[in-house]
Every structure is written in structure tokens, then in C-alpha cells.
């Protein structure tokens, strides 16, 4: 009995002991769960709250925040407040004001509780994140994409203020390629590899890159006119242009090149290089010649020319051409590496030369920026004057401007050349030589010569003291005639000036210089009007149609109500008066929907029109070579004379097939691209009928070489590299061979086989051209059935055969 009691007590003790451990383990588990649930929020809690630090409400205005900030800064400044907490409090006050004084950062703090602008604002709101964590959702389990932004995009993120203050002014020096994206945009993920490769290629060349998140920069996206993602646009000279082609690296590169001005770089040959170098006097710019073997001007060179277009004129010499051998030999150019030569006033000898196998943007910038002025440039505008003769900042940075006031007539030529010679032997950094024409800059000359009561030519020594136009100056005694005595006198006075700045005794306020290269007001007005109309058309066609939808919806609703209440009522009243006439007009309406026509419209089109695009060097790749598998491009061959007639007939015949998503419609003008059809037929000899070949052999050589492809229709499968051909079918007198298509001879009918072939040599009239596509509908039926013969080609003709030779 005792042993049983002892055993029961031992069991109870073990039970209590195990129960205590279970309670302990359960408590630890709950503690871990609480840390998992609330630890992240505790860890991510901010060290301070800006509103509480400044003691303002969340609805406080900027004026109230600024007033409180000034008071607290004076109160907690460490120099005035000796409290141990003063320094920390001063930092918190400053940080709080930085957050709340910026509308964008304040909005981000109100929405997400974030204070650092470098943090990723794209993460989910805090409430959603806590809900996410409390239910133990694992992102890796559902394979959701990470919301942390890629480093490439984060580095190029644009905000509205930065765009207005930095990117927009910088677009006048280099083009920008901007991507519009958003979180959870799966199409953006597909183009991301192409975008990264393009950025890595174009950014080192000098192209600006930008990324706009439409979810957090709606103001900037609306300003740019972007309403969908993904979108890619170009920015140059403050003008936005959208990219509307397939996102391929080559297309993006071509898009950036198309943004640049066309006549930015001049191609130079043996016959034009002397004229190019000698035009420095008219344009007042140094000349840069680049020598390379590439037939196309490198994009790096175009970008450098755009960046320095206001200072330097650029030319390009293709060393692979025979037309440039003389200039290469005369300037002793090494043909094994690209070279750049910069010429100033002396066109016989370059002022600077650089040669490198790998030209980079840094090399261009250093080379051009250090030589962007002529030895003695002409002051043509205020910007040029500000850069050439900057305002004095420190004593060691004095810049003295030696200015020649002269004229452009013949009696001043020798005087000007003597001044150029003097400047070429005085190349000190502290001295800047320049000249002005009195007739072009009359207000400036009057301000400098009125006290001396002298007439040009005169040499003036001046130093700018303020950006408003205040200068100290002195006129060189004795005038300037270009003699040796004048040069010696000027040299002595320059030495005195460098030793004693007080040598400049006169003071004057200079007016702003006239812009000699500014266009006339009428031309400026026309250019502005053209840009405005082009931008309006672009916005109406591409960008802002979504914004116009409410207005258009309101207009169409009003028109519909007007039509329903007025016009229908008027027709119904007229119908009651003349019921017999209404019945008489009913049969023609039913005749329009005859069974024959119902059979041709068995495939209901998706649109009420047929989109027919022209095959050019721009649309050639996307409409043929890179056509999706299973898609066919139906191409009509025409000329300028038959374009209008054949296009109307072609659209009518293929209208019933326009509902098919795999069919595309284009036309090719053989007057512009005559070589393409010949190249296609040469690559597929089986496409020519044997009877036509025999007839061509019997004809004269002058006529047999000229094939008339007007009215032919090709069904091109770009992926599988085959085509089907439809040859014109006449209802009038035509050659027998010309009416045979890829259809069987039974389709054409035996009655036309006996007609004379001699009429094929007659010139086709408008009626005959109209009837060339009479049987195109039957041919399209067989095309859809897949019963037409297929002619395979090893490769599609290249771009050189579709692009007209110039």
C-alpha cells in the first residue's frame, strides 16, 4: 500500500515538473512569436518624429514650420545652449525641418513614415507589411518579384524638382533617354535586359539616362505626357519625343541618333576641306576634323559635336574613301587609328592633335573644352563675352581683356591681321585677346570710346568688375595701326598693367552685347509656331488622348442626344407621310446584303478600315524580317501613277480578311525601290511562269530587262522565308501570261486564254489598272486555306536593295 502511494506521489511530482517545463517552453514560443510580429516595427520605428520635435501639427503650413524652426534653432544652438542635450536636439530640429520643408519628402513621410530620401519609397505601406508578417506570408513561397529597385534604375531615378532644375537645362547639351516604369509592371520586366544593355552602351558616350516611377512621380509623368508603362521617351533641347518602335538595343540607339540635329557634323572630302577650314572667320569658331575608317559618323562624335555646337564646328573624314586620300596625305594622318585635328586661324597647321585607338568621352571633353575659343575671337554675344572675359573673383584670378575695336571693311584688314600676329606671340593665361566690329556692337563701342573721343581702330585694356556690366578700362595711347611701334607700345603697357592693376583709370557700365547670330524675328516666330503645331499634333496623336476622353465623351453624348431627339424624330415624321416610298426603298437595302456579299464577309473585320503601311527602310525590319511566327504580310506592288487606284481596289478586296490577327497589309513603291523585286525574283527562280520566260526571251533586250510588277501582290512569311505571288488578272485585253497567278488555270477561265498577247505592250489605262486586282479575293481565300504554292528564299533581300541609291 505504501509503495503504491509513493509511486503516485512520484508520478505527481514528475507531472508537475514536466508541466513547469511545458509552461516555460510555451512562454518562450510566445515570446519568439511576439518578437517576430512586432520586432520589425519596433526596429524600424524612427528615432524621432519631426512633427513632435518641432511641436507643430500635421496640418501646419510652411510659414508656421519655418517660424518655429527659427525659434528652436536660436534656442538650442550648441554655441548658446550649454545643455548636454543641446547638440542632439539641434540635429533633430535641423533634420525635422529638412523633411517638413520639402513637400515631396513631407508627403513621403506622411504616407510611409520614412525620413531619408535615399530610402526605397516603393515598398508597401506599413500597415500592409504588418498584415503580411502577422499571417506568416513568405514571399519566396509565392515567387513574387522583389520590390527592391535595381541599382541601375535607382541611380537614374528622377524627381520633378531635379528634372526641372538639372535635367531640362542639361538637355540643351546632350540628349536624354528616359524610361517610364512602375511597380508590378510585368512588361517592364521583359524589357529590362534590353534597357540595361542600352544604358551600359549609351551612358559612357554621353547620353543622359533617366527613370521615372509613375506611381510616385505622377506630377513628372504628367509633365512629360506619359500615361502608361512601360514608355520610353527622348529629351533634347527641352523637347520630348516618344519612342514608338520595338524595344531593341539597335532601335534605341537609332532613336537617340534621330534626336540630334541632322547637319551637326559636316562630311569633308578632298574638294571641300579647304572651304571647311577657311570658314572660321564667318562662324567665329575653331574647326575640328576627325579621321576614321567608318562610313557612318560615330555616335560619340555626334554627341560631342552637339555638346560644343556653340563653340566649335565639326567635320568628319572617312579615310576609307578614295575621295579623301589627298587630305589624309596632306595632313599626314595615321590611318591605323582615329585622329582629331583642331584648327584655329592658321589653316595650314593644326593648333592641337590627338590620336587614340579607343576614343572616349573624357578625351573629347578635354580636347575640345581646352580649345573652344579662337586665338583672337570676335565678341558676338553676351554669353561669349562672359566666358572669354570673366568677372574678377580673386586677385590671383585676374583676367585682362585686350579688345580691338575695328571694322569689317577692306581698310581694316591689315590692321586686324597685325593684331592677330601680336596675339599669337602673347599667349599668357592672364591676357585674353578679342575684337569687335563697331557697326555690329555700336552701344558697346560708344560706352568705351566716348570719353577718349577717338575713332576705330583702337585697342582697349579692360577688366570686368561685376556681372551687371561695370568695367575698369584704359585706351592704349597712340591708337592702333599695326606698325612695329604700335606693337612695342602695346607690349609695354601690358607689362605695366600686369604689375600695377591700378593702371586702368576709367570706369564704365557696359550694355549687353547684341547677338550677331540671332535669327530675324519673323524666322523665330515661324520656328516657334512650327514647334507649337508639331507638339500639339504629337500630343493629340499619341500622348494626351486619355485626358481628352472625358471631353470627347461629353461631346459625343450631346451629339447622340441631339441625333436621337431631333433628327430621328424628323425622319419618323417624314416616314408617316410617305409610307409607300419607304416600302419602295426597302428592297435596295436588302439587295446590298446579298448572299454573295455575305459570303465575302464571312470573316467579320475588327475595324471599319484596312491599315496599309508602306514598306520603307524603317518599317522593313519589323514588317518582314522580324515578323512574328505564323504572321503573314500581304504586300501590294504599285507605282506613283497607279498608287491611288490600286490602293482603293486593294483595300476593297482584302477588307473582308482584315479581321484576321495574323495578316498585315503593306505596299511597296517600285518607283522608289525598283531593285527589291528583282532581287526577290532572282532568289526564287521558280516564282516566274515558264510561258512568261519564253516570251521574254523573244522580246527585245531593251524591254525584256524591265519587268512590270505593278499590281502584283506578295504574301510574305518573314519567319519561314517563303512567299506566295498573285499576278494581275485583267478583264480587258492583256497578255495571256500576265493573268496567271499562283492559282490554277481553271480559276482564270478558258475564255481569256485565246486573247492576243500583243496588247500587253500597250500602255495600261486607269480602267485596266483598276481591274488588275479583280481576282484578288479568290487568291486570298486560297491563301487562308494554305493551298497556294510557296516559293522559298535563302534570305530576304537586304536593306541596300530597298533603300534608293543617292
Amino acid at each position: 500500500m505504501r509503495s503504491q502511494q509513493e509511486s503516485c506521489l512520484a508520478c505527481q511530482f514528475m507531472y508537475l515538473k514536466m508541466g513547469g517545463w511545458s509552461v516555460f517552453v510555451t512562454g518562450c514560443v510566445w515570446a519568439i512569436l511576439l518578437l517576430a510580429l512586432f520586432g520589425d516595427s519596433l526596429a524600424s520605428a524612427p528615432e524621432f518624429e519631426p512633427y513632435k520635435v518641432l511641436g507643430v501639427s500635421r496640418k501646419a503650413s510652411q510659414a508656421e514650420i519655418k517660424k518655429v524652426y527659427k525659434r528652436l534653432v536660436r534656442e538650442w544652438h550648441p554655441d548658446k545652449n550649454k545643455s548636454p542635450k543641446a547638440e542632439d536636439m539641434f540635429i533633430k530640429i535641423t533634420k525635422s525641418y529638412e523633411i517638413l520643408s520639402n513637400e515631396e519628402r513631407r508627403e513621403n513621410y506622411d504616407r510611409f513614415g520614412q525620413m531619408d530620401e535615399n530610402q526605397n519609397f516603393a515598398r508597401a505601406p506599413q500597415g500592409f507589411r504588418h498584415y503580411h508578417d502577422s499571417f506568416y506570408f513568405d514571399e519566396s513561397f509565392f515567387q513574387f518579384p522583389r520590390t527592391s529597385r535595381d541599382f541601375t534604375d535607382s541611380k537614374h531615378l528622377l524627381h520633378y524638382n531635379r528634372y526641372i532644375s538639372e535635367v531640362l537645362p542639361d538637355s540643351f547639351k546632350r540628349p536624354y533617354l528616359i524610361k517610364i516604369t512602375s511597380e508590378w509592371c510585368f512588361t517592364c520586366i521583359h524589357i529590362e535586359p534590353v534597357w540595361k544593355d542600352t544604358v551600359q552602351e549609351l551612358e559612357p558616350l554621353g547620353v543622359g539616362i533617366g527613370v521615372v516611377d509613375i506611381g510616385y512621380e505622377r506630377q513628372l509623368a504628367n509633365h512629360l505626357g506619359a500615361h502608361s508603362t512601360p514608355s520610353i521617351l527622348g529629351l533634347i533641347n527641352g523637347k520630348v519625343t516618344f519612342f514608338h518602335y520595338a524595344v531593341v538595343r539597335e532601335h534605341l540607339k537609332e532613336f537617340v541618333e534621330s534626336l540630334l540635329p541632322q547637319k551637326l557634323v559636316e562630311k569633308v572630302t578632298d574638294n571641300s576641306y579647304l572651304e571647311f577650314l577657311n570658314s572660321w572667320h564667318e562662324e567665329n569658331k575653331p574647326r575640328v576634323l576627325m579621321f576614321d575608317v567608318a562610313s557612318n559618323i560615330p555616335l560619340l562624335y555626334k554627341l560631342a559635336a552637339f555638346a560644343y555646337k556653340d563653340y566649335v564646328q565639326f567635320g568628319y573624314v572617312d579615310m576609307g574613301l578614295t575621295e579623301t586620300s589627298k587630305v589624309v596625305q596632306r595632313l599626314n594622318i595615321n590611318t591605323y587609328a582615329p585622329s582629331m585635328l583642331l584648327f584655329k586661324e592658321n589653316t595650314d597647321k593644326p593648333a592641337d592633335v590627338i590620336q587614340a585607338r579607343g576614343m572616349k568621352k573624357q578625351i573629347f571633353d578635354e580636347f575640345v573644352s581646352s580649345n573652344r575659343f579662337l586665338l583672337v575671337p570676335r565678341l558676338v554675344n553676351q554669353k561669349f563675352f562672359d566666358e572669354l572675359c570673366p568677372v574678377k573673383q580673386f586677385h590671383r584670378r585676374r583676367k585682362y581683356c585686350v579688345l580691338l575695336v575695328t571694322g569689317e571693311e577692306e581698310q581694316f584688314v591689315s590692321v586686324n591681321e597685325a593684331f592677330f600676329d601680336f596675339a599669337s606671340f602673347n599667349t599668357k593665361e592672364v591676357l585674353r585677346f578679342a575684337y569687335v566690329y563697331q557697326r555690329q556692337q555700336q552701344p558697346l563701342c560708344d560706352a568705351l570710346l566716348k570719353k577718349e573721343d577717338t575713332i576705330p581702330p583702337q585697342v582697349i585694356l579692360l577688366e570686368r568688375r561685376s556681372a551687371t556690366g561695370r568695367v575698369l578700362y584704359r585706351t592704349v595711347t597712340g591708337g592702333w595701326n599695326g606698325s612695329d611701334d604700335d606693337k612695342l607700345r602695346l607690349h609695354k603697357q601690358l607689362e605695366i598693367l600686369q604689375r600695377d592693376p591700378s593702371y586702368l583709370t576709367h570706369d564704365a557700365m557696359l550694355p549687353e552685347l547684341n547677338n550677331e547670330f540671332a535669327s530675324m524675328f519673323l524666322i523665330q516666330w515661324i520656328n516657334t509656331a512650327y514647334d507649337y503645331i508639331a507638339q500639339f499634333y504629337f500630343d493629340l496623336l499619341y500622348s494626351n488622348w486619355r485626358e481628352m476622353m472625358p471631353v470627347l465623351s461629353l461631346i459625343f453624348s450631346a451629339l447622340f442626344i441631339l441625333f436621337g431627339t431631333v433628327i430621328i424624330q424628323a425622319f419618323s415624321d417624314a416616314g408617316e407621310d410617305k409610307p409607300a416610298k419607304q416600302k419602295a426603298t426597302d428592297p435596295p437595302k436588302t439587295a446590298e446584303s446579298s448572299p454573295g456579299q455575305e459570303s465575302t464577309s464571312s470573316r467579320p473585320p475588327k475595324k471599319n478600315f484596312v491599315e496599309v503601311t508602306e514598306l520603307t527602310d524603317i518599317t522593313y525590319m519589323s514588317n518582314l524580317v522580324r515578323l512574328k511566327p505564323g504572321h503573314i504580310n500581304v504586300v501590294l506592288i504599285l507605282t506613283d501613277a497607279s498608287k491611288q487606284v490600286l490602293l482603293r481596289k486593294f483595300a476593297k478586296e482584302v477588307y473582308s480578311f482584315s479581321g484576321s490577327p495574323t495578316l498585315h497589309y503593306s505596299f511597296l513603291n517600285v518607283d522608289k525601290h525598283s531593285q527589291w523585286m528583282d532581287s526577290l525574283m532572282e532568289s526564287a527562280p521558280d516564282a516566274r511562269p515558264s510561258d512568261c520566260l519564253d516570251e521574254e526571251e523573244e522580246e527585245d533586250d531593251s524591254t525584256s530587262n524591265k519587268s512590270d510588277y505593278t499590281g502584283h501582290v506578295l504574301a510574305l512569311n518573314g519567319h519561314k522565308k517563303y512567299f506566295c505571288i498573285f499576278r494581275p488578272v485583267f478583264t480587258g485585253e492583256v497578255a495571256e501570261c500576265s493573268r496567271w497567278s499562283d492559282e490554277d488555270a481553271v480559276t482564270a477561265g478558258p475564255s481569256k486564254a485565246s486573247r492576243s498577247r500583243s496588247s500587253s505592250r500597250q500602255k495600261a489605262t486607269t480602267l485596266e489598272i483598276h481591274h488588275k486586282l479583280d481576282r484578288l479575293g479568290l487568291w486570298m481565300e486560297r491563301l487562308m486555306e494554305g493551298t497556294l504554292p510557296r516559293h522559298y528564299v535563302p534570305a530576304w533581300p537586304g536593306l541596300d536593295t530597298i533603300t534608293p541609291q543617292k
Side-chain angles (χ1 to χ4, degrees), residues 225 227 242 244 532-549 551-552:
H227 305 283
F242 277 80
H244 294 291
Y532 177 79
I533 295 173
Q535 187 66 29
F536 176 78
Y537 172 76
F538 175 81
D539 293 341
L540 184 64
L541 188 62
Y542 294 109
S543 301
N544 296 333
W545 64 272
R546 289 181 177 84
E547 298 178 358
M548 299 177 63
M549 284 302 294
V551 179
L552 296 177

Side-chain angles (χ1 to χ4, degrees), residues 339-393:
S339 304
M340 280 195 301
L341 279 69
L342 186 139
F343 294 86
K344 294 187 177 181
E345 286 88 349
N346 187 3
T347 58
D348 296 329
K349 182 180 179 181
D352 200 354
V353 179
I354 189 172
Q355 188 175 37
R357 290 188 178 274
M359 288 289 185
K360 296 182 179 180
K361 181 179 182 297
Q362 292 79 6
I363 299 177
F364 272 91
D365 291 340
E366 294 176 2
F367 180 76
V368 179
S369 61
S370 59
N371 296 284
R372 66 180 186 272
F373 296 115
L374 292 170
L375 186 62
V376 185
R378 186 171 84 252
L379 300 184
V380 293
N381 53 46
Q382 186 64 35
K383 177 183 176 183
F384 208 77
F385 187 32
D386 294 340
E387 295 190 22
L388 189 67
C389 301
V391 178
K392 171 199 170 184
Q393 296 178 348

Side-chain angles (χ1 to χ4, degrees), residues 416-555:
N416 299 341
E417 291 179 353
F419 186 75
F420 297 157
D421 294 337
F422 179 84
S424 62
F425 293 101
N426 293 269
T427 57
K428 296 181 180 180
E429 182 64 24
V430 72
L431 300 177
R432 298 290 178 85
F433 292 85
Y435 70 99
V436 293
Y437 288 146
Q438 184 184 22
R439 187 173 61 87
Q440 301 289 346
Q441 303 293 341
Q442 189 66 47
L444 174 69
C445 298
D446 292 342
L448 294 175
L449 299 178
K450 64 180 180 180
K451 292 184 179 180
E452 299 293 335
D453 193 16
T454 55
I455 59 174
Q458 295 290 334
V459 176
I460 300 174
L461 310 179
L462 62 88
E463 179 186 7
R464 300 186 64 195
R465 288 302 181 95
S466 68
T468 58
R470 180 174 176 267
V471 296
L472 296 178
Y473 73 97
R474 183 187 184 98
T475 304
V476 177
T477 57
W480 179 262
N481 294 320
S483 62
D484 295 338
D485 294 338
D486 293 340
K487 294 180 181 180
L488 182 60
R489 191 183 309 110
L490 177 58
H491 181 73
K492 291 181 179 179
Q493 295 189 30
L494 288 176
E495 290 182 348
I496 297 173
L497 176 62
Q498 295 177 54
R499 293 194 305 265
D500 183 13
S502 62
Y503 185 68
L504 303 179
T505 56
H506 299 296
D507 190 352
M509 291 294 296
L510 299 183
E512 185 174 352
L513 271 69
N514 300 325
N515 189 0
E516 299 181 15
F517 292 149
S519 55
M520 297 176 59
F521 173 77
L522 180 61
I523 298 177
Q524 293 180 358
W525 184 86
I526 293 175
N527 293 334
T528 304
Y530 174 78
D531 293 339
Y532 177 79
I533 295 173
Q535 187 66 29
F536 176 78
Y537 172 76
F538 175 81
D539 293 341
L540 184 64
L541 188 62
Y542 294 109
S543 301
N544 296 333
W545 64 272
R546 289 181 177 84
E547 298 178 358
M548 299 177 63
M549 284 302 294
V551 179
L552 296 177
S553 177
L554 179 62
I555 295 174

Side-chain angles (χ1 to χ4, degrees), residues 180-182 212-219 221-222 226-229:
I180 311 297
T181 184
S182 64
V212 178
D213 193 325
I214 199 172
Y216 301 97
E217 288 296 332
R218 176 67 64 177
Q219 182 183 7
N222 293 336
H227 305 283
S228 62
T229 57

